[in-house]
Amino acid sequence: MNFEIKNSGEISNEFLKLGIQDFTSACKFISLLPYKRNSNKENVLCVFEDSAGTCSTKHSTLRKLALENNKPEIKLILGIFKMDANYAPKIKKTLEVNYLNYIPEAHNYLKIGSDYFDFTNLNSSYSEVENLLLIETEIEFDEINHQKIQKHKEFLSNWIKDKPQFNLEQIWKIRESCITDLQN
């Protein structure tokens, strides 16, 4: 789905300032930004200010762009998937030292109709996580901070019930180590 960006909001204005006139070009721009945690995810313009983003900030930016341009059918999805060493070789050591085959990780992407799109990186594809998904739910662009973390932690709390060697704080710390591994 493509549409012309109208000057109808702060995200639209940022793309237009960059000479980006349509949704397809905005998606390509977002996918080319480096993967990096943003300095302030509460700031909806953080991907522009940091010239980088995560799956959360990149896709929430695209969702907000869609809403500003009357395209509510472009949905923001939160999927929790089995992040393992096959998916992310950089986390292999962290998983091994903690005796884990995988760790449930939250990932964001877009859904338009019955099709899924991942603009985290230029070569990202929903098919990479599709068969690893544990749950999937729709969220809103302004729910990538507290609500996303809360849903992720709730999932992890249930997941570790049969893993008495871990508490939520420990498993979250292991997850954070995996995220650090991915950025290096």
mmCIF file of all heavy atoms in Angstrom, residues 55-75:
data_model
loop_
_atom_site.group_PDB
_atom_site.id
_atom_site.type_symbol
_atom_site.label_atom_id
_atom_site.label_comp_id
_atom_site.label_asym_id
_atom_site.label_seq_id
_atom_site.Cartn_x
_atom_site.Cartn_y
_atom_site.Cartn_z
ATOM 1 N N CYS A 55 13.148 -1.731 16.267
ATOM 2 C CA CYS A 55 11.910 -2.163 15.614
ATOM 3 C C CYS A 55 10.718 -1.385 16.166
ATOM 4 O O CYS A 55 9.799 -1.031 15.426
ATOM 5 C CB CYS A 55 11.707 -3.670 15.772
ATOM 6 S SG CYS A 55 11.469 -4.231 17.478
ATOM 7 N N SER A 56 10.754 -1.064 17.446
ATOM 8 C CA SER A 56 9.642 -0.344 18.080
ATOM 9 C C SER A 56 9.519 1.077 17.567
ATOM 10 O O SER A 56 8.445 1.491 17.125
ATOM 11 C CB SER A 56 9.835 -0.302 19.595
ATOM 12 O OG SER A 56 9.894 -1.588 20.128
ATOM 13 N N THR A 57 10.593 1.832 17.658
ATOM 14 C CA THR A 57 10.507 3.247 17.277
ATOM 15 C C THR A 57 10.320 3.407 15.766
ATOM 16 O O THR A 57 9.600 4.303 15.325
ATOM 17 C CB THR A 57 11.736 4.026 17.762
ATOM 18 O OG1 THR A 57 12.926 3.392 17.291
ATOM 19 C CG2 THR A 57 11.764 4.110 19.280
ATOM 20 N N LYS A 58 10.953 2.556 14.994
ATOM 21 C CA LYS A 58 10.815 2.650 13.530
ATOM 22 C C LYS A 58 9.376 2.374 13.090
ATOM 23 O O LYS A 58 8.796 3.141 12.315
ATOM 24 C CB LYS A 58 11.775 1.682 12.840
ATOM 25 C CG LYS A 58 13.236 2.102 12.933
ATOM 26 C CD LYS A 58 14.130 1.098 12.220
ATOM 27 C CE LYS A 58 15.578 1.564 12.178
ATOM 28 N NZ LYS A 58 16.382 0.740 11.253
ATOM 29 N N HIS A 59 8.790 1.300 13.611
ATOM 30 C CA HIS A 59 7.434 0.939 13.179
ATOM 31 C C HIS A 59 6.365 1.827 13.805
ATOM 32 O O HIS A 59 5.339 2.080 13.182
ATOM 33 C CB HIS A 59 7.174 -0.545 13.435
ATOM 34 C CG HIS A 59 7.973 -1.422 12.525
ATOM 35 N ND1 HIS A 59 9.178 -1.967 12.905
ATOM 36 C CD2 HIS A 59 7.774 -1.780 11.239
ATOM 37 C CE1 HIS A 59 9.667 -2.657 11.890
ATOM 38 N NE2 HIS A 59 8.838 -2.558 10.865
ATOM 39 N N SER A 60 6.611 2.328 15.018
ATOM 40 C CA SER A 60 5.638 3.257 15.600
ATOM 41 C C SER A 60 5.623 4.563 14.806
ATOM 42 O O SER A 60 4.574 5.188 14.648
ATOM 43 C CB SER A 60 5.912 3.506 17.078
ATOM 44 O OG SER A 60 7.109 4.215 17.270
ATOM 45 N N THR A 61 6.785 4.961 14.282
ATOM 46 C CA THR A 61 6.854 6.155 13.431
ATOM 47 C C THR A 61 6.007 5.954 12.174
ATOM 48 O O THR A 61 5.239 6.845 11.778
ATOM 49 C CB THR A 61 8.323 6.446 13.047
ATOM 50 O OG1 THR A 61 9.063 6.717 14.236
ATOM 51 C CG2 THR A 61 8.430 7.630 12.102
ATOM 52 N N LEU A 62 6.114 4.790 11.572
ATOM 53 C CA LEU A 62 5.336 4.503 10.361
ATOM 54 C C LEU A 62 3.843 4.407 10.668
ATOM 55 O O LEU A 62 3.013 4.855 9.879
ATOM 56 C CB LEU A 62 5.852 3.235 9.687
ATOM 57 C CG LEU A 62 7.263 3.341 9.115
ATOM 58 C CD1 LEU A 62 7.767 1.975 8.659
ATOM 59 C CD2 LEU A 62 7.322 4.358 7.968
ATOM 60 N N ARG A 63 3.497 3.841 11.819
ATOM 61 C CA ARG A 63 2.083 3.772 12.218
ATOM 62 C C ARG A 63 1.524 5.178 12.416
ATOM 63 O O ARG A 63 0.437 5.493 11.960
ATOM 64 C CB ARG A 63 1.938 2.948 13.504
ATOM 65 C CG ARG A 63 0.594 3.043 14.193
ATOM 66 C CD ARG A 63 -0.564 2.461 13.424
ATOM 67 N NE ARG A 63 -1.779 2.525 14.255
ATOM 68 C CZ ARG A 63 -2.984 2.440 13.788
ATOM 69 N NH1 ARG A 63 -3.200 2.247 12.493
ATOM 70 N NH2 ARG A 63 -4.014 2.518 14.598
ATOM 71 N N LYS A 64 2.277 6.037 13.097
ATOM 72 C CA LYS A 64 1.813 7.418 13.307
ATOM 73 C C LYS A 64 1.688 8.145 11.976
ATOM 74 O O LYS A 64 0.726 8.889 11.758
ATOM 75 C CB LYS A 64 2.758 8.165 14.252
ATOM 76 C CG LYS A 64 2.356 9.628 14.492
ATOM 77 C CD LYS A 64 2.198 9.902 15.946
ATOM 78 C CE LYS A 64 2.006 11.354 16.311
ATOM 79 N NZ LYS A 64 0.974 12.082 15.614
ATOM 80 N N LEU A 65 2.631 7.919 11.072
ATOM 81 C CA LEU A 65 2.542 8.511 9.732
ATOM 82 C C LEU A 65 1.251 8.066 9.049
ATOM 83 O O LEU A 65 0.537 8.885 8.448
ATOM 84 C CB LEU A 65 3.758 8.107 8.892
ATOM 85 C CG LEU A 65 3.752 8.545 7.427
ATOM 86 C CD1 LEU A 65 3.825 10.065 7.318
ATOM 87 C CD2 LEU A 65 4.907 7.882 6.673
ATOM 88 N N ALA A 66 0.937 6.792 9.147
ATOM 89 C CA ALA A 66 -0.289 6.270 8.544
ATOM 90 C C ALA A 66 -1.524 6.931 9.156
ATOM 91 O O ALA A 66 -2.442 7.344 8.430
ATOM 92 C CB ALA A 66 -0.343 4.755 8.714
ATOM 93 N N LEU A 67 -1.547 7.054 10.469
ATOM 94 C CA LEU A 67 -2.692 7.693 11.127
ATOM 95 C C LEU A 67 -2.833 9.149 10.719
ATOM 96 O O LEU A 67 -3.951 9.626 10.501
ATOM 97 C CB LEU A 67 -2.559 7.579 12.652
ATOM 98 C CG LEU A 67 -2.734 6.185 13.240
ATOM 99 C CD1 LEU A 67 -2.441 6.196 14.732
ATOM 100 C CD2 LEU A 67 -4.133 5.648 12.965
ATOM 101 N N GLU A 68 -1.703 9.859 10.626
ATOM 102 C CA GLU A 68 -1.758 11.265 10.218
ATOM 103 C C GLU A 68 -2.303 11.424 8.808
ATOM 104 O O GLU A 68 -2.800 12.494 8.452
ATOM 105 C CB GLU A 68 -0.358 11.888 10.278
ATOM 106 C CG GLU A 68 0.143 12.117 11.686
ATOM 107 C CD GLU A 68 1.559 12.680 11.740
ATOM 108 O OE1 GLU A 68 2.170 12.934 10.672
ATOM 109 O OE2 GLU A 68 2.058 12.885 12.859
ATOM 110 N N ASN A 69 -2.216 10.371 8.025
ATOM 111 C CA ASN A 69 -2.661 10.429 6.627
ATOM 112 C C ASN A 69 -3.896 9.562 6.375
ATOM 113 O O ASN A 69 -4.133 9.100 5.259
ATOM 114 C CB ASN A 69 -1.500 10.011 5.719
ATOM 115 C CG ASN A 69 -0.442 11.085 5.668
ATOM 116 O OD1 ASN A 69 -0.525 12.024 4.890
ATOM 117 N ND2 ASN A 69 0.560 10.972 6.538
ATOM 118 N N ASN A 70 -4.706 9.390 7.414
ATOM 119 C CA ASN A 70 -5.984 8.671 7.316
ATOM 120 C C ASN A 70 -5.861 7.261 6.766
ATOM 121 O O ASN A 70 -6.666 6.836 5.938
ATOM 122 C CB ASN A 70 -7.001 9.457 6.473
ATOM 123 C CG ASN A 70 -7.710 10.510 7.270
ATOM 124 O OD1 ASN A 70 -7.836 10.379 8.485
ATOM 125 N ND2 ASN A 70 -8.157 11.549 6.599
ATOM 126 N N LYS A 71 -4.864 6.519 7.244
ATOM 127 C CA LYS A 71 -4.659 5.131 6.827
ATOM 128 C C LYS A 71 -4.619 4.233 8.071
ATOM 129 O O LYS A 71 -3.621 3.585 8.363
ATOM 130 C CB LYS A 71 -3.362 4.982 6.016
ATOM 131 C CG LYS A 71 -3.301 5.835 4.773
ATOM 132 C CD LYS A 71 -4.324 5.397 3.757
ATOM 133 C CE LYS A 71 -4.271 6.284 2.523
ATOM 134 N NZ LYS A 71 -5.360 6.054 1.625
ATOM 135 N N PRO A 72 -5.739 4.184 8.835
ATOM 136 C CA PRO A 72 -5.753 3.390 10.076
ATOM 137 C C PRO A 72 -5.623 1.895 9.832
ATOM 138 O O PRO A 72 -5.355 1.135 10.771
ATOM 139 C CB PRO A 72 -7.107 3.737 10.705
ATOM 140 C CG PRO A 72 -7.964 4.110 9.544
ATOM 141 C CD PRO A 72 -7.032 4.806 8.567
ATOM 142 N N GLU A 73 -5.796 1.464 8.598
ATOM 143 C CA GLU A 73 -5.686 0.032 8.293
ATOM 144 C C GLU A 73 -4.234 -0.464 8.346
ATOM 145 O O GLU A 73 -3.987 -1.668 8.312
ATOM 146 C CB GLU A 73 -6.300 -0.291 6.921
ATOM 147 C CG GLU A 73 -5.625 0.369 5.736
ATOM 148 C CD GLU A 73 -6.130 1.785 5.406
ATOM 149 O OE1 GLU A 73 -6.746 2.442 6.263
ATOM 150 O OE2 GLU A 73 -5.893 2.232 4.264
ATOM 151 N N ILE A 74 -3.282 0.464 8.451
ATOM 152 C CA ILE A 74 -1.873 0.086 8.648
ATOM 153 C C ILE A 74 -1.673 -0.060 10.151
ATOM 154 O O ILE A 74 -1.629 0.919 10.877
ATOM 155 C CB ILE A 74 -0.925 1.125 8.016
ATOM 156 C CG1 ILE A 74 -1.176 1.198 6.506
ATOM 157 C CG2 ILE A 74 0.534 0.788 8.336
ATOM 158 C CD1 ILE A 74 -0.404 2.285 5.782
ATOM 159 N N LYS A 75 -1.605 -1.310 10.599
ATOM 160 C CA LYS A 75 -1.596 -1.637 12.030
ATOM 161 C C LYS A 75 -0.171 -1.865 12.547
ATOM 162 O O LYS A 75 0.689 -2.356 11.818
ATOM 163 C CB LYS A 75 -2.400 -2.917 12.281
ATOM 164 C CG LYS A 75 -3.809 -2.902 11.720
ATOM 165 C CD LYS A 75 -4.689 -1.970 12.467
ATOM 166 C CE LYS A 75 -6.130 -2.069 11.971
ATOM 167 N NZ LYS A 75 -6.982 -1.062 12.563
#
